[in-house]
Amino acid sequence: MTLIKTQLAFAGFALFAVTLALCADGGLGDLWLLHASGEAGELARVLVLEIRLPRILAAFGVGAALGLAGAGLQGLLRNPLADPGVLGVSGASALGAVIAVYFNLAALSVWALPGLAIVMALGVTALLYVLGASSVSTTRLVLVGVGLSSLAGSLMALLMNLAPNPFSLSDLVNWLLGSVANRSFADLGFALPFWIAGCVLVLLAARGLRALTLGEDGARAIGADVARVRLLVITGSALLTGASVAVAGIIGFVGIVAPHLVRPLVRHDPAALLVPSALLAGSMLVLADTFVRVLPFAIEMKLGVAAALVGAPVFIWIAARTRGMGQ
């Protein structure tokens, strides 16, 4: 299957997923009433255009961003288990959101929480480069990322432990569980510039990622600028991940699973992997959110929980089949 056909196939699947999400749980009747007059038509327009559609687009945007970031980092690190969390970006972004919730910064501005999440993601990216991300070995870069992720996790646990009241603790836990419920077009509008910038940066690194399949020394031998590729992928992934955490909280595993499913279809080409991984990850998260939305539970299951329940076994399966770095 050629690359264009592969991309068209995944684009078609994404369109199917979005359409299914719009029609699920009585949505087909609401779509039929969109152009109706009177109270029924007005209610249908509110349900579809102000509640369901922003939620579906948020799920797709978050999934696509995490899938693209995961595919880029897997190509950069030559490790199929890499995702935005491996460099500490996800943890730092989540820590920013937790700080905003803990200190009630949202009372000052509705953009405080998403803004701080993105600032923390970019801050960790800058720290990685201060520590030598453009020159150290890939293994050392991963170890630094794991350390930063552990530090962010411990600080989040500290803030949860020191939560002044049960309501603050509940807000913190709900955020960390991940969800796209009650998202609006304003939330998407805030994240969209960062998603676009991150997408452009990662896609600019596509040829360099292909060269890195020869190893860093081999890539340099054929003229690839490895430092530039690292800068593009790490900064792009930080923007994609920070904006995603700002919109939905922590959503795990989709950035690992989607590229793994796509990789055999593009003959393990890390450059060709990028766009199909984004489309599949977005589709997967839309379908997962549709599933949790229609479950007959009194309290809706969080999207991050559903993603982990499905993604963790797949992650274990991928890890069991991976023989080492670069395999």
Side-chain angles (χ1 to χ4, degrees):
M1 185 182 291
T2 65
L3 177 59
I4 294 178
K5 289 183 179 179
T6 302
Q7 292 177 346
L8 288 175
F10 282 109
F13 182 64
L15 182 61
F16 164 77
V18 170
T19 304
L20 180 64
L22 281 172
C23 295
D25 195 25
L28 186 60
D30 293 329
L31 289 174
W32 183 261
L33 292 172
L34 273 180
H35 299 290
S37 58
E39 185 177 342
E42 183 65 27
L43 178 60
R45 284 187 285 273
V46 170
L47 288 174
V48 174
L49 301 178
E50 297 183 22
I51 298 177
R52 288 201 184 112
L53 187 58
R55 176 173 180 162
I56 293 168
L57 293 178
F60 183 82
V62 168
L66 294 177
L68 180 59
L73 288 171
Q74 288 174 23
L76 175 68
L77 303 177
R78 302 183 302 286
N79 186 341
L81 300 180
D83 78 332
V86 77
L87 297 181
V89 176
S90 294
S93 186
L95 176 61
V98 167
I99 290 173
V101 172
Y102 182 84
F103 291 104
N104 197 27
L105 298 181
L108 303 177
S109 171
V110 294
W111 306 117
L113 190 151
L116 195 54
I118 292 173
V119 166
M120 290 292 287
L122 293 174
V124 163
T125 303
L127 180 59
L128 285 171
Y129 273 86
V130 169
L131 297 175
S134 60
S135 58
V136 301
S137 67
T138 298
T139 302
R140 186 169 297 178
L141 180 62
V142 171
L143 291 175
V144 171
V146 170
L148 290 173
S149 184
S150 298
L151 177 61
S154 64
L155 291 174
M156 284 188 284
L158 175 64
L159 291 178
M160 293 174 66
N161 185 61
L162 298 177
N165 56 67
F167 302 105
S168 297
L169 180 60
S170 177
D171 289 341
L172 293 173
V173 171
N174 285 334
W175 181 260
L176 293 175
L177 290 179
S179 174
V180 291
N182 303 318
R183 298 305 182 262
S184 66
F185 283 116
D187 297 317
L188 295 176
F190 180 87
L192 188 60
F194 298 98
W195 279 338
I196 292 174
C199 180
V200 170
L201 291 176
V202 173
L203 292 179
L204 285 175
R207 293 181 64 183
L209 292 176
R210 184 177 288 133
L212 279 172
T213 57
L214 301 174
E216 292 187 5
D217 292 336
R220 291 189 183 97
I222 62 173
D225 188 343
V226 175
R228 175 179 176 273
V229 174
R230 284 189 180 185
L231 176 63
L232 290 172
V233 173
I234 293 176
T235 306
S237 298
L239 290 169
L240 291 167
T241 305
S244 298
V245 172
V247 171
I250 297 179
I251 307 290
F253 298 106
V254 68
I256 297 176
V257 174
H260 180 76
L261 296 176
V262 174
R263 191 170 286 111
L265 302 178
V266 296
R267 300 180 180 179
H268 299 264
D269 182 348
L273 181 68
L274 298 175
V275 174
S277 294
L279 292 171
L280 179 60
S283 305
M284 290 169 60
L285 216 57
V286 168
L287 293 175
D289 184 60
T290 303
F291 175 72
V292 300
R293 181 157 54 89
V294 302
L295 284 176
F297 293 161
I299 299 177
E300 183 179 292
M301 181 189 296
K302 296 296 183 182
L303 180 57
V305 175
L309 288 174
V310 176
V314 178
F315 175 83
I316 294 170
W317 175 65
I318 296 171
R321 295 176 68 249
T322 301
R323 290 173 291 175
M325 289 285 269
Q327 298 297 318

